[in-house]
Amino acid sequence: MTIDFFQLFSANSVLVVFTIIAIGYVIGNVKIGQFEIGITGGVLLCALVFGHFGFQIDPIVQSIGFTLFIYSVGWQAGPQIINVLRQDGLSYLTIALFMSLGSFALVVGLALVVDLENALAAGLMAGALTSTPTLVGAQNAVEAGLVPIPAGSTSEAIIESISVGYAITYIFGTVGLLLLVKLLPSLLKIDLVEKAQDFAKERGFVAEDSAKEAERPILRAYEVPSVDYEKKTVAQASSDFLSQYQDYGAIYKLKRGNDIIDVSPDTTLEPGDKLAFFCSPKLHEKIREEMKLGREVLDEDLVDAVVDVVEVVVNSSFAVGQTIGQLAIQQEHGCRLTRLTRSQIEMPLSPSTRVQRGDVMYLTGERAALQQLVSILGVEERAAVETDLLTFAAGIVVGLFIGQITVRIGGIDVGIGNAGGLLVSGIAVGFLRANRPTFGRMPAAARFILMELGLLFFMVGVGLNAGGGIIEALGAVGPKLFLCGVVVTCIPLLVGYAFGRIVLNMNPALLLGALTGAMTSTPALGIVQQAAKSSVPSLGYAGTYALANVLLTALGTLIMLL
């Protein structure tokens, strides 16, 4: 039996899509030194090759991918749109606007100087900034009929030109940005480690050592010895040790005879008492040595507890705006915060890190204590084992309807298109969900797969569309388009850094994080954090990322309307 693979792939869009995604994942995970092009880049490269050999897919696949991705971008940005205006918010807002509008102006200027058509200019901006939302906005403007089609051309040809521009500039946009953020501190003779430490001290925290905080707590009980503890309070007994760590909450239970007694710093200890501690293994060892406790005891009343891990979406008016230190999770509830993420970016576990609406806290503790803590902080994400597809689908429907609304101005129908409508709807649903968690359930894993799969479906379509004409385009406009891409990748970052330092007086470590967020480059954030040996840059990244996604989508549409 003979299998014609070319015919098999030509007749089966599903086979083409998932083959490209699988191979793209392999390519994207290949590292050369510290650099890798990432999953999106790997899928794009693979799709370009398939497209060059004439393979195509049903257009509905790319449309579904576009819809899932751009709506998810809005949904993720929703809780952070208001938060970005809080602590350091004006600086983040200014950086996001400066970078987005500055990049847009630079691209428009270059297009005029080197005579690039709008489609290639849109692809240039999207690729040089590695901004998929810009690409989505530009292509959707064509598909929605917002862009006049020149005589002798077609919407398909314009979309192909956008994809070609994106493909030619994307690789340097990825690798070049990583190189630039890695070399910039050295070129400017900036000690990024020192600057991150300065910021940490200024805000009253040591940002790094979150790894030790992430150790899973365990429950152990010890006997209070007959010496040194006569009529001492818990605070007195632990003053030389636990008070340094603000860890009174690590004392889980106290048993005296057959009675369980509530523990507070003022509780008086008596010989023969049994103390149960809920803390990390390392802290157990130090507690026993420094508090001079007796033998370990196995008492069911003390150690028979259900220890659990929960994810909590912060949305309570009590928690929003408080610092981690003010929430006193360990001291008052005996639970431990092991991770804090914002827009899927991990934040420093520092007493001065301010909690925002929509943040996700990963907490470990005894189940009853966790339930009480969850009621104070927000809603338990783990309880949402099912995705509320009704709200998800309804939000998309509303967004698509919004995208169809147009206003006639001077005889021209003006609208925001499907991309703008889906963004608006996604932002609204995400914001409402963060404030009223009674609807719109979407666990983190569901959010990731919907957004990631939508992006990859879309990128497969982009690569296949561009693959057919990329060889000709490389010969015709490739060199000048590539050089323009280098300029658009480098100049906004350098000018943005100067603006942030001179005008906004931002800390370099925080500023570089904000700049990578404004350019929506998570790999670049990783390079900055590695250079700073700190998670401080993630604060800046989270501050600009959500707003930049929204702005760049709108600018992708706008550049096609010029």
Side-chain angles (χ1 to χ4, degrees), residues 69-70 72-74 76-77 81 96 100 130-134 136-137 343 419 423 427 451 517-522 541 544-556:
F69 172 70
I70 205 67
S72 297
V73 166
Q76 181 174 288
I81 292 297
S100 299
T130 64
S131 172
T132 308
T134 302
V136 170
S343 294
L423 263 182
I427 288 171
M451 190 169 179
M519 298 180 79
T520 66
S521 177
T522 305
Y541 183 93
T544 58
Y545 175 78
L547 186 59
N549 268 308
V550 177
L551 288 171
L552 290 171
T553 304
L555 292 174

PDB file of all heavy atoms in Angstrom, residues 69-70 72-74 76-77 81 96 100 130-134 136-137 343 419 423 427 451 517-522 541 544-556:
ATOM      1  N   PHE A  69      -7.826  33.794  21.190  1.00  0.00           N
ATOM      2  CA  PHE A  69      -6.644  34.486  21.692  1.00  0.00           C
ATOM      3  C   PHE A  69      -6.959  35.911  22.116  1.00  0.00           C
ATOM      4  O   PHE A  69      -6.647  36.327  23.238  1.00  0.00           O
ATOM      5  CB  PHE A  69      -5.548  34.490  20.627  1.00  0.00           C
ATOM      6  CG  PHE A  69      -4.360  35.343  20.993  1.00  0.00           C
ATOM      7  CD1 PHE A  69      -3.500  34.948  22.013  1.00  0.00           C
ATOM      8  CD2 PHE A  69      -4.115  36.539  20.341  1.00  0.00           C
ATOM      9  CE1 PHE A  69      -2.417  35.740  22.364  1.00  0.00           C
ATOM     10  CE2 PHE A  69      -3.035  37.330  20.683  1.00  0.00           C
ATOM     11  CZ  PHE A  69      -2.184  36.927  21.698  1.00  0.00           C
ATOM     12  N   ILE A  70      -7.595  36.685  21.238  1.00  0.00           N
ATOM     13  CA  ILE A  70      -7.773  38.108  21.534  1.00  0.00           C
ATOM     14  C   ILE A  70      -8.787  38.309  22.659  1.00  0.00           C
ATOM     15  O   ILE A  70      -8.640  39.212  23.492  1.00  0.00           O
ATOM     16  CB  ILE A  70      -8.170  38.888  20.260  1.00  0.00           C
ATOM     17  CG1 ILE A  70      -7.752  40.348  20.402  1.00  0.00           C
ATOM     18  CG2 ILE A  70      -9.631  38.750  19.933  1.00  0.00           C
ATOM     19  CD1 ILE A  70      -6.273  40.572  20.425  1.00  0.00           C
ATOM     20  N   SER A  72      -9.197  36.184  25.152  1.00  0.00           N
ATOM     21  CA  SER A  72      -8.459  35.800  26.361  1.00  0.00           C
ATOM     22  C   SER A  72      -7.498  36.896  26.794  1.00  0.00           C
ATOM     23  O   SER A  72      -7.277  37.112  27.988  1.00  0.00           O
ATOM     24  CB  SER A  72      -7.692  34.492  26.121  1.00  0.00           C
ATOM     25  OG  SER A  72      -8.582  33.422  25.862  1.00  0.00           O
ATOM     26  N   VAL A  73      -6.888  37.608  25.824  1.00  0.00           N
ATOM     27  CA  VAL A  73      -6.017  38.742  26.153  1.00  0.00           C
ATOM     28  C   VAL A  73      -6.804  39.797  26.915  1.00  0.00           C
ATOM     29  O   VAL A  73      -6.352  40.319  27.943  1.00  0.00           O
ATOM     30  CB  VAL A  73      -5.399  39.349  24.867  1.00  0.00           C
ATOM     31  CG1 VAL A  73      -4.776  40.716  25.158  1.00  0.00           C
ATOM     32  CG2 VAL A  73      -4.347  38.418  24.294  1.00  0.00           C
ATOM     33  N   GLY A  74      -7.999  40.114  26.427  1.00  0.00           N
ATOM     34  CA  GLY A  74      -8.836  41.083  27.128  1.00  0.00           C
ATOM     35  C   GLY A  74      -9.260  40.587  28.500  1.00  0.00           C
ATOM     36  O   GLY A  74      -9.226  41.345  29.484  1.00  0.00           O
ATOM     37  N   GLN A  76      -7.726  38.514  30.455  1.00  0.00           N
ATOM     38  CA  GLN A  76      -6.586  38.543  31.370  1.00  0.00           C
ATOM     39  C   GLN A  76      -6.242  39.967  31.782  1.00  0.00           C
ATOM     40  O   GLN A  76      -5.825  40.217  32.913  1.00  0.00           O
ATOM     41  CB  GLN A  76      -5.371  37.897  30.700  1.00  0.00           C
ATOM     42  CG  GLN A  76      -4.133  37.852  31.577  1.00  0.00           C
ATOM     43  CD  GLN A  76      -3.010  37.070  30.925  1.00  0.00           C
ATOM     44  OE1 GLN A  76      -3.059  35.851  30.817  1.00  0.00           O
ATOM     45  NE2 GLN A  76      -2.006  37.774  30.454  1.00  0.00           N
ATOM     46  N   ALA A  77      -6.424  40.920  30.863  1.00  0.00           N
ATOM     47  CA  ALA A  77      -6.080  42.318  31.164  1.00  0.00           C
ATOM     48  C   ALA A  77      -7.122  42.984  32.047  1.00  0.00           C
ATOM     49  O   ALA A  77      -6.811  43.946  32.760  1.00  0.00           O
ATOM     50  CB  ALA A  77      -5.921  43.109  29.873  1.00  0.00           C
ATOM     51  N   ILE A  81      -6.449  46.566  34.488  1.00  0.00           N
ATOM     52  CA  ILE A  81      -6.586  47.887  33.876  1.00  0.00           C
ATOM     53  C   ILE A  81      -6.708  48.985  34.932  1.00  0.00           C
ATOM     54  O   ILE A  81      -6.098  50.040  34.826  1.00  0.00           O
ATOM     55  CB  ILE A  81      -7.811  47.918  32.929  1.00  0.00           C
ATOM     56  CG1 ILE A  81      -7.560  47.014  31.715  1.00  0.00           C
ATOM     57  CG2 ILE A  81      -8.119  49.333  32.488  1.00  0.00           C
ATOM     58  CD1 ILE A  81      -6.420  47.438  30.838  1.00  0.00           C
ATOM     59  N   ALA A  96       3.898  52.557  29.127  1.00  0.00           N
ATOM     60  CA  ALA A  96       3.136  51.794  28.136  1.00  0.00           C
ATOM     61  C   ALA A  96       2.698  52.690  26.977  1.00  0.00           C
ATOM     62  O   ALA A  96       2.815  52.317  25.796  1.00  0.00           O
ATOM     63  CB  ALA A  96       1.921  51.140  28.794  1.00  0.00           C
ATOM     64  N   SER A 100       4.257  52.336  23.171  1.00  0.00           N
ATOM     65  CA  SER A 100       3.314  51.957  22.120  1.00  0.00           C
ATOM     66  C   SER A 100       3.196  53.043  21.058  1.00  0.00           C
ATOM     67  O   SER A 100       3.337  52.785  19.859  1.00  0.00           O
ATOM     68  CB  SER A 100       1.939  51.664  22.721  1.00  0.00           C
ATOM     69  OG  SER A 100       1.998  50.602  23.640  1.00  0.00           O
ATOM     70  N   THR A 130       7.477  41.746  18.462  1.00  0.00           N
ATOM     71  CA  THR A 130       6.967  40.395  18.780  1.00  0.00           C
ATOM     72  C   THR A 130       5.583  40.488  19.418  1.00  0.00           C
ATOM     73  O   THR A 130       5.291  39.812  20.400  1.00  0.00           O
ATOM     74  CB  THR A 130       7.936  39.614  19.704  1.00  0.00           C
ATOM     75  OG1 THR A 130       8.042  40.267  20.963  1.00  0.00           O
ATOM     76  CG2 THR A 130       9.305  39.493  19.072  1.00  0.00           C
ATOM     77  N   SER A 131       4.757  41.362  18.848  1.00  0.00           N
ATOM     78  CA  SER A 131       3.430  41.634  19.413  1.00  0.00           C
ATOM     79  C   SER A 131       2.354  40.973  18.562  1.00  0.00           C
ATOM     80  O   SER A 131       1.916  41.535  17.549  1.00  0.00           O
ATOM     81  CB  SER A 131       3.190  43.146  19.491  1.00  0.00           C
ATOM     82  OG  SER A 131       1.858  43.411  19.866  1.00  0.00           O
ATOM     83  N   THR A 132       1.915  39.802  18.973  1.00  0.00           N
ATOM     84  CA  THR A 132       0.837  39.126  18.255  1.00  0.00           C
ATOM     85  C   THR A 132      -0.462  39.930  18.268  1.00  0.00           C
ATOM     86  O   THR A 132      -1.180  39.941  17.266  1.00  0.00           O
ATOM     87  CB  THR A 132       0.605  37.729  18.844  1.00  0.00           C
ATOM     88  OG1 THR A 132       1.844  37.033  18.906  1.00  0.00           O
ATOM     89  CG2 THR A 132      -0.367  36.936  17.989  1.00  0.00           C
ATOM     90  N   PRO A 133      -0.813  40.635  19.374  1.00  0.00           N
ATOM     91  CA  PRO A 133      -2.026  41.457  19.324  1.00  0.00           C
ATOM     92  C   PRO A 133      -2.007  42.498  18.207  1.00  0.00           C
ATOM     93  O   PRO A 133      -3.043  42.786  17.612  1.00  0.00           O
ATOM     94  CB  PRO A 133      -2.051  42.120  20.709  1.00  0.00           C
ATOM     95  CG  PRO A 133      -1.367  41.140  21.597  1.00  0.00           C
ATOM     96  CD  PRO A 133      -0.266  40.570  20.747  1.00  0.00           C
ATOM     97  N   THR A 134      -0.836  43.077  17.906  1.00  0.00           N
ATOM     98  CA  THR A 134      -0.742  44.026  16.799  1.00  0.00           C
ATOM     99  C   THR A 134      -1.062  43.341  15.480  1.00  0.00           C
ATOM    100  O   THR A 134      -1.785  43.881  14.629  1.00  0.00           O
ATOM    101  CB  THR A 134       0.669  44.634  16.742  1.00  0.00           C
ATOM    102  OG1 THR A 134       0.961  45.268  17.982  1.00  0.00           O
ATOM    103  CG2 THR A 134       0.788  45.652  15.614  1.00  0.00           C
ATOM    104  N   VAL A 136      -2.876  40.642  15.085  1.00  0.00           N
ATOM    105  CA  VAL A 136      -4.302  40.315  15.098  1.00  0.00           C
ATOM    106  C   VAL A 136      -5.133  41.539  14.720  1.00  0.00           C
ATOM    107  O   VAL A 136      -6.049  41.467  13.892  1.00  0.00           O
ATOM    108  CB  VAL A 136      -4.728  39.799  16.489  1.00  0.00           C
ATOM    109  CG1 VAL A 136      -6.234  39.688  16.582  1.00  0.00           C
ATOM    110  CG2 VAL A 136      -4.096  38.439  16.772  1.00  0.00           C
ATOM    111  N   GLY A 137      -4.814  42.686  15.313  1.00  0.00           N
ATOM    112  CA  GLY A 137      -5.558  43.900  15.028  1.00  0.00           C
ATOM    113  C   GLY A 137      -5.463  44.313  13.576  1.00  0.00           C
ATOM    114  O   GLY A 137      -6.459  44.731  12.964  1.00  0.00           O
ATOM    115  N   SER A 343      -1.249  38.448  36.373  1.00  0.00           N
ATOM    116  CA  SER A 343      -1.224  38.302  34.910  1.00  0.00           C
ATOM    117  C   SER A 343      -0.272  37.173  34.515  1.00  0.00           C
ATOM    118  O   SER A 343       0.503  37.283  33.561  1.00  0.00           O
ATOM    119  CB  SER A 343      -0.800  39.610  34.240  1.00  0.00           C
ATOM    120  OG  SER A 343      -1.751  40.615  34.453  1.00  0.00           O
ATOM    121  N   ALA A 419     -11.563  42.508  16.514  1.00  0.00           N
ATOM    122  CA  ALA A 419     -10.482  42.494  17.501  1.00  0.00           C
ATOM    123  C   ALA A 419     -10.782  43.472  18.627  1.00  0.00           C
ATOM    124  O   ALA A 419     -10.661  43.147  19.817  1.00  0.00           O
ATOM    125  CB  ALA A 419      -9.148  42.842  16.840  1.00  0.00           C
ATOM    126  N   LEU A 423     -11.762  42.516  22.511  1.00  0.00           N
ATOM    127  CA  LEU A 423     -10.955  43.071  23.601  1.00  0.00           C
ATOM    128  C   LEU A 423     -11.830  43.765  24.631  1.00  0.00           C
ATOM    129  O   LEU A 423     -11.684  43.554  25.837  1.00  0.00           O
ATOM    130  CB  LEU A 423      -9.943  44.076  23.034  1.00  0.00           C
ATOM    131  CG  LEU A 423      -8.526  43.595  22.762  1.00  0.00           C
ATOM    132  CD1 LEU A 423      -7.684  44.746  22.253  1.00  0.00           C
ATOM    133  CD2 LEU A 423      -7.892  42.986  23.996  1.00  0.00           C
ATOM    134  N   ILE A 427     -12.192  42.436  28.398  1.00  0.00           N
ATOM    135  CA  ILE A 427     -11.801  43.292  29.525  1.00  0.00           C
ATOM    136  C   ILE A 427     -12.960  43.434  30.507  1.00  0.00           C
ATOM    137  O   ILE A 427     -12.785  43.334  31.732  1.00  0.00           O
ATOM    138  CB  ILE A 427     -11.352  44.675  29.009  1.00  0.00           C
ATOM    139  CG1 ILE A 427      -9.991  44.557  28.316  1.00  0.00           C
ATOM    140  CG2 ILE A 427     -11.268  45.683  30.149  1.00  0.00           C
ATOM    141  CD1 ILE A 427      -9.571  45.817  27.582  1.00  0.00           C
ATOM    142  N   MET A 451      -5.986  30.290  25.658  1.00  0.00           N
ATOM    143  CA  MET A 451      -5.186  31.381  25.102  1.00  0.00           C
ATOM    144  C   MET A 451      -4.037  30.839  24.254  1.00  0.00           C
ATOM    145  O   MET A 451      -3.782  31.333  23.151  1.00  0.00           O
ATOM    146  CB  MET A 451      -4.634  32.239  26.238  1.00  0.00           C
ATOM    147  CG  MET A 451      -3.982  33.531  25.791  1.00  0.00           C
ATOM    148  SD  MET A 451      -3.666  34.594  27.221  1.00  0.00           S
ATOM    149  CE  MET A 451      -2.897  35.999  26.417  1.00  0.00           C
ATOM    150  N   GLY A 517       7.609  44.513  29.488  1.00  0.00           N
ATOM    151  CA  GLY A 517       6.154  44.367  29.532  1.00  0.00           C
ATOM    152  C   GLY A 517       5.483  45.193  28.455  1.00  0.00           C
ATOM    153  O   GLY A 517       4.526  44.751  27.820  1.00  0.00           O
ATOM    154  N   ALA A 518       5.982  46.416  28.236  1.00  0.00           N
ATOM    155  CA  ALA A 518       5.424  47.283  27.201  1.00  0.00           C
ATOM    156  C   ALA A 518       5.655  46.713  25.806  1.00  0.00           C
ATOM    157  O   ALA A 518       4.923  47.036  24.873  1.00  0.00           O
ATOM    158  CB  ALA A 518       6.030  48.682  27.302  1.00  0.00           C
ATOM    159  N   MET A 519       6.688  45.866  25.675  1.00  0.00           N
ATOM    160  CA  MET A 519       6.945  45.198  24.394  1.00  0.00           C
ATOM    161  C   MET A 519       6.415  43.762  24.403  1.00  0.00           C
ATOM    162  O   MET A 519       6.697  42.984  23.494  1.00  0.00           O
ATOM    163  CB  MET A 519       8.446  45.223  24.092  1.00  0.00           C
ATOM    164  CG  MET A 519       9.008  46.637  23.946  1.00  0.00           C
ATOM    165  SD  MET A 519      10.772  46.713  23.578  1.00  0.00           S
ATOM    166  CE  MET A 519      10.772  46.352  21.823  1.00  0.00           C
ATOM    167  N   THR A 520       5.653  43.422  25.437  1.00  0.00           N
ATOM    168  CA  THR A 520       4.971  42.122  25.608  1.00  0.00           C
ATOM    169  C   THR A 520       5.906  40.945  25.388  1.00  0.00           C
ATOM    170  O   THR A 520       5.546  39.958  24.778  1.00  0.00           O
ATOM    171  CB  THR A 520       3.750  42.011  24.660  1.00  0.00           C
ATOM    172  OG1 THR A 520       4.170  41.993  23.310  1.00  0.00           O
ATOM    173  CG2 THR A 520       2.781  43.151  24.891  1.00  0.00           C
ATOM    174  N   SER A 521       7.140  41.045  25.905  1.00  0.00           N
ATOM    175  CA  SER A 521       8.123  39.978  25.707  1.00  0.00           C
ATOM    176  C   SER A 521       8.453  39.308  27.040  1.00  0.00           C
ATOM    177  O   SER A 521       9.306  39.783  27.790  1.00  0.00           O
ATOM    178  CB  SER A 521       9.405  40.530  25.068  1.00  0.00           C
ATOM    179  OG  SER A 521      10.376  39.512  24.952  1.00  0.00           O
ATOM    180  N   THR A 522       7.790  38.189  27.308  1.00  0.00           N
ATOM    181  CA  THR A 522       8.071  37.441  28.538  1.00  0.00           C
ATOM    182  C   THR A 522       9.493  36.853  28.552  1.00  0.00           C
ATOM    183  O   THR A 522      10.142  36.865  29.605  1.00  0.00           O
ATOM    184  CB  THR A 522       7.031  36.326  28.726  1.00  0.00           C
ATOM    185  OG1 THR A 522       5.721  36.905  28.701  1.00  0.00           O
ATOM    186  CG2 THR A 522       7.232  35.612  30.050  1.00  0.00           C
ATOM    187  N   TYR A 541       7.033  44.651  34.839  1.00  0.00           N
ATOM    188  CA  TYR A 541       6.441  43.926  33.704  1.00  0.00           C
ATOM    189  C   TYR A 541       4.927  43.808  33.871  1.00  0.00           C
ATOM    190  O   TYR A 541       4.155  44.099  32.950  1.00  0.00           O
ATOM    191  CB  TYR A 541       7.069  42.540  33.614  1.00  0.00           C
ATOM    192  CG  TYR A 541       6.591  41.720  32.431  1.00  0.00           C
ATOM    193  CD1 TYR A 541       7.295  41.731  31.236  1.00  0.00           C
ATOM    194  CD2 TYR A 541       5.447  40.933  32.513  1.00  0.00           C
ATOM    195  CE1 TYR A 541       6.868  40.982  30.147  1.00  0.00           C
ATOM    196  CE2 TYR A 541       5.007  40.189  31.444  1.00  0.00           C
ATOM    197  CZ  TYR A 541       5.732  40.207  30.255  1.00  0.00           C
ATOM    198  OH  TYR A 541       5.293  39.460  29.190  1.00  0.00           O
ATOM    199  N   THR A 544       2.913  47.103  33.119  1.00  0.00           N
ATOM    200  CA  THR A 544       2.724  47.621  31.756  1.00  0.00           C
ATOM    201  C   THR A 544       2.119  46.611  30.789  1.00  0.00           C
ATOM    202  O   THR A 544       1.551  46.989  29.769  1.00  0.00           O
ATOM    203  CB  THR A 544       4.069  48.091  31.168  1.00  0.00           C
ATOM    204  OG1 THR A 544       4.999  46.987  31.175  1.00  0.00           O
ATOM    205  CG2 THR A 544       4.644  49.245  31.972  1.00  0.00           C
ATOM    206  N   TYR A 545       2.245  45.323  31.082  1.00  0.00           N
ATOM    207  CA  TYR A 545       1.911  44.275  30.115  1.00  0.00           C
ATOM    208  C   TYR A 545       0.446  44.305  29.678  1.00  0.00           C
ATOM    209  O   TYR A 545       0.141  44.264  28.480  1.00  0.00           O
ATOM    210  CB  TYR A 545       2.253  42.909  30.721  1.00  0.00           C
ATOM    211  CG  TYR A 545       1.849  41.730  29.864  1.00  0.00           C
ATOM    212  CD1 TYR A 545       2.610  41.365  28.762  1.00  0.00           C
ATOM    213  CD2 TYR A 545       0.722  40.976  30.160  1.00  0.00           C
ATOM    214  CE1 TYR A 545       2.250  40.279  27.969  1.00  0.00           C
ATOM    215  CE2 TYR A 545       0.350  39.901  29.382  1.00  0.00           C
ATOM    216  CZ  TYR A 545       1.128  39.553  28.296  1.00  0.00           C
ATOM    217  OH  TYR A 545       0.761  38.482  27.515  1.00  0.00           O
ATOM    218  N   ALA A 546      -0.464  44.379  30.641  1.00  0.00           N
ATOM    219  CA  ALA A 546      -1.890  44.308  30.299  1.00  0.00           C
ATOM    220  C   ALA A 546      -2.308  45.476  29.419  1.00  0.00           C
ATOM    221  O   ALA A 546      -2.981  45.301  28.394  1.00  0.00           O
ATOM    222  CB  ALA A 546      -2.729  44.279  31.574  1.00  0.00           C
ATOM    223  N   LEU A 547      -1.890  46.684  29.808  1.00  0.00           N
ATOM    224  CA  LEU A 547      -2.266  47.863  29.041  1.00  0.00           C
ATOM    225  C   LEU A 547      -1.620  47.850  27.661  1.00  0.00           C
ATOM    226  O   LEU A 547      -2.246  48.237  26.661  1.00  0.00           O
ATOM    227  CB  LEU A 547      -1.865  49.124  29.802  1.00  0.00           C
ATOM    228  CG  LEU A 547      -2.307  50.453  29.195  1.00  0.00           C
ATOM    229  CD1 LEU A 547      -3.823  50.508  29.067  1.00  0.00           C
ATOM    230  CD2 LEU A 547      -1.812  51.618  30.038  1.00  0.00           C
ATOM    231  N   ALA A 548      -0.362  47.399  27.578  1.00  0.00           N
ATOM    232  CA  ALA A 548       0.337  47.360  26.292  1.00  0.00           C
ATOM    233  C   ALA A 548      -0.368  46.436  25.308  1.00  0.00           C
ATOM    234  O   ALA A 548      -0.455  46.746  24.112  1.00  0.00           O
ATOM    235  CB  ALA A 548       1.785  46.912  26.499  1.00  0.00           C
ATOM    236  N   ASN A 549      -0.874  45.304  25.785  1.00  0.00           N
ATOM    237  CA  ASN A 549      -1.597  44.392  24.899  1.00  0.00           C
ATOM    238  C   ASN A 549      -2.802  45.079  24.260  1.00  0.00           C
ATOM    239  O   ASN A 549      -3.067  44.922  23.068  1.00  0.00           O
ATOM    240  CB  ASN A 549      -2.065  43.159  25.679  1.00  0.00           C
ATOM    241  CG  ASN A 549      -1.057  42.036  25.625  1.00  0.00           C
ATOM    242  OD1 ASN A 549      -0.613  41.641  24.563  1.00  0.00           O
ATOM    243  ND2 ASN A 549      -0.680  41.536  26.786  1.00  0.00           N
ATOM    244  N   VAL A 550      -3.525  45.844  25.057  1.00  0.00           N
ATOM    245  CA  VAL A 550      -4.706  46.541  24.552  1.00  0.00           C
ATOM    246  C   VAL A 550      -4.305  47.634  23.566  1.00  0.00           C
ATOM    247  O   VAL A 550      -4.874  47.766  22.474  1.00  0.00           O
ATOM    248  CB  VAL A 550      -5.515  47.141  25.720  1.00  0.00           C
ATOM    249  CG1 VAL A 550      -6.703  47.937  25.199  1.00  0.00           C
ATOM    250  CG2 VAL A 550      -5.990  46.030  26.657  1.00  0.00           C
ATOM    251  N   LEU A 551      -3.300  48.435  23.928  1.00  0.00           N
ATOM    252  CA  LEU A 551      -2.863  49.525  23.060  1.00  0.00           C
ATOM    253  C   LEU A 551      -2.329  49.009  21.730  1.00  0.00           C
ATOM    254  O   LEU A 551      -2.646  49.557  20.661  1.00  0.00           O
ATOM    255  CB  LEU A 551      -1.772  50.340  23.770  1.00  0.00           C
ATOM    256  CG  LEU A 551      -2.217  51.224  24.933  1.00  0.00           C
ATOM    257  CD1 LEU A 551      -1.009  51.778  25.667  1.00  0.00           C
ATOM    258  CD2 LEU A 551      -3.091  52.360  24.429  1.00  0.00           C
ATOM    259  N   LEU A 552      -1.521  47.957  21.769  1.00  0.00           N
ATOM    260  CA  LEU A 552      -0.896  47.453  20.544  1.00  0.00           C
ATOM    261  C   LEU A 552      -1.915  46.821  19.609  1.00  0.00           C
ATOM    262  O   LEU A 552      -1.748  46.850  18.387  1.00  0.00           O
ATOM    263  CB  LEU A 552       0.212  46.458  20.898  1.00  0.00           C
ATOM    264  CG  LEU A 552       1.453  47.098  21.542  1.00  0.00           C
ATOM    265  CD1 LEU A 552       2.408  46.031  22.061  1.00  0.00           C
ATOM    266  CD2 LEU A 552       2.175  48.002  20.543  1.00  0.00           C
ATOM    267  N   THR A 553      -2.971  46.247  20.161  1.00  0.00           N
ATOM    268  CA  THR A 553      -4.040  45.722  19.301  1.00  0.00           C
ATOM    269  C   THR A 553      -4.718  46.868  18.551  1.00  0.00           C
ATOM    270  O   THR A 553      -4.946  46.791  17.339  1.00  0.00           O
ATOM    271  CB  THR A 553      -5.083  44.963  20.132  1.00  0.00           C
ATOM    272  OG1 THR A 553      -4.435  43.920  20.870  1.00  0.00           O
ATOM    273  CG2 THR A 553      -6.150  44.348  19.243  1.00  0.00           C
ATOM    274  N   ALA A 554      -5.028  47.936  19.282  1.00  0.00           N
ATOM    275  CA  ALA A 554      -5.675  49.092  18.656  1.00  0.00           C
ATOM    276  C   ALA A 554      -4.774  49.736  17.610  1.00  0.00           C
ATOM    277  O   ALA A 554      -5.236  50.135  16.530  1.00  0.00           O
ATOM    278  CB  ALA A 554      -6.060  50.109  19.734  1.00  0.00           C
ATOM    279  N   LEU A 555      -3.483  49.821  17.901  1.00  0.00           N
ATOM    280  CA  LEU A 555      -2.558  50.450  16.950  1.00  0.00           C
ATOM    281  C   LEU A 555      -2.355  49.584  15.710  1.00  0.00           C
ATOM    282  O   LEU A 555      -2.092  50.103  14.623  1.00  0.00           O
ATOM    283  CB  LEU A 555      -1.218  50.721  17.637  1.00  0.00           C
ATOM    284  CG  LEU A 555      -1.264  51.797  18.735  1.00  0.00           C
ATOM    285  CD1 LEU A 555       0.072  51.902  19.449  1.00  0.00           C
ATOM    286  CD2 LEU A 555      -1.658  53.145  18.144  1.00  0.00           C
ATOM    287  N   GLY A 556      -2.461  48.261  15.865  1.00  0.00           N
ATOM    288  CA  GLY A 556      -2.395  47.377  14.703  1.00  0.00           C
ATOM    289  C   GLY A 556      -3.526  47.664  13.730  1.00  0.00           C
ATOM    290  O   GLY A 556      -3.340  47.641  12.497  1.00  0.00           O
TER     291      GLY A 556
END
